[in-house]
Amino acid sequence: MNELHALRTEYAKASLDISSVNTDPFLQFEKWLTEAINAGVKEANAMCLASVGEDGRPSQRIVLLKGVEDKKFVFYTNYQSRKGTQLDANPICALNFFWPDLERQIRIEGIVNRISVEKSTEYFQSRPRSSQLGAWVSPQSSPIKDRQLLEDRFAEMEKKFDGVEKLPKPQQWGGYGVEPILVEFWQGRPSRLHDRLEYVKVDNEWKINRLAP
């Protein structure tokens, strides 16, 4: 740990300029995400979700982006989890994608809302059956005695839904959509003079600013 101060990485793989990016942050995001997937970045759709509860304490965790729909970044979770209760109490949140192999990250700040029950159900029933059962089993974020509780409940749910082709979606499970008000694209550059382009929504239009690194 004493040698952390000596760790250094020089960034020099690419550059980023206002003249070369798409004026629509969603199209620019799609471009970068596609490049990350094509480059073999593992779980390129993984993002850090930051939320703040009623007590003012921030919390963050990694979740998976499952779509960009209706100008919103969509993910799914248990509504009764810590993140679910925090997002319901305070809909302002932040997302962060970090792709070190490409020396890139994307920061997003926005407002979150639950997506429709119909869309949540459609996605839920497209998941592997074991994942569907897992959503029924886990009281996410709640303290439990031991892992055996989960194993026992999983066995119970397997028996309960035996022969059922399409499992119903649990009421406490579904999707959220984050509508961005700010999107920042960060590209690592030499000498720590990184490129940072920020899209900010002004009067329903996107304005692009270059930020100092």
Side-chain angles (χ1 to χ4, degrees):
M1 292 293 289
N2 293 334
E3 296 181 358
L4 288 178
H5 68 278
L7 294 178
R8 295 284 187 273
T9 299
E10 186 72 357
Y11 302 115
K13 289 189 175 180
S15 61
L16 189 63
D17 194 80
I18 290 179
S19 64
S20 62
V21 296
N22 200 295
T23 55
D24 185 332
F26 291 99
L27 294 179
Q28 184 63 31
F29 174 84
E30 182 181 349
K31 178 179 183 294
W32 269 25
L33 178 60
T34 299
E35 289 176 359
I37 293 171
N38 291 341
V41 173
K42 188 174 182 179
E43 293 200 291
N45 61 325
M47 59 188 184
C48 181
L49 164 66
S51 56
V52 179
E54 291 181 309
D55 58 3
R57 291 173 57 186
S59 180
Q60 57 185 355
R61 73 291 290 165
I62 301 299
V63 298
L64 298 178
L65 178 72
K66 288 299 180 179
V68 180
E69 305 168 9
D70 301 323
K71 302 296 185 179
K72 296 179 181 180
F73 296 90
V74 176
F75 65 93
Y76 295 85
T77 190
N78 186 313
Y79 290 140
Q80 295 175 354
S81 65
R82 184 180 185 188
K83 58 183 169 295
T85 55
Q86 286 186 335
L87 292 172
D88 287 344
N90 181 357
I92 301 174
C93 67
L95 306 173
N96 183 276
F97 295 84
F98 179 47
W99 302 315
D101 292 347
L102 300 179
E103 301 172 354
R104 289 175 174 175
Q105 63 176 314
I106 302 174
R107 293 196 321 107
I108 298 166
E109 297 176 8
I111 309 297
V112 70
N113 286 290
R114 295 186 184 189
I115 67 172
S116 70
V117 173
E118 292 75 19
K119 285 188 176 180
S120 291
T121 300
E122 180 182 2
Y123 173 71
F124 178 80
Q125 294 179 338
S126 75
R127 305 172 84 207
R129 188 177 183 85
S130 60
S131 297
Q132 295 180 46
L133 289 169
W136 275 98
V137 166
S138 176
Q140 194 175 113
S141 299
S142 299
I144 57 175
K145 180 181 178 181
D146 53 32
R147 183 176 178 82
Q148 191 58 46
L149 172 69
L150 300 177
E151 302 288 356
D152 292 343
R153 292 187 63 174
F154 193 90
E156 291 173 7
M157 288 299 167
E158 279 188 309
K159 184 176 180 180
K160 176 179 179 179
F161 291 115
D162 183 39
V164 178
E165 182 180 354
K166 288 187 175 183
L167 272 62
K169 181 188 74 65
Q171 185 176 0
Q172 72 275 15
W173 191 96
Y176 284 103
V178 178
E179 182 177 0
I181 55 177
L182 180 152
V183 183
E184 180 191 328
F185 294 86
W186 181 98
Q187 177 70 60
R189 296 298 304 277
S191 304
R192 294 296 188 265
L193 298 179
H194 311 305
D195 287 332
R196 298 176 59 191
L197 297 186
E198 174 191 71
Y199 293 70
V200 183
K201 213 167 192 180
V202 179
D203 296 329
N204 214 33
E205 298 287 338
W206 289 104
K207 179 183 178 181
I208 307 178
N209 301 313
R210 174 175 282 275
L211 304 179

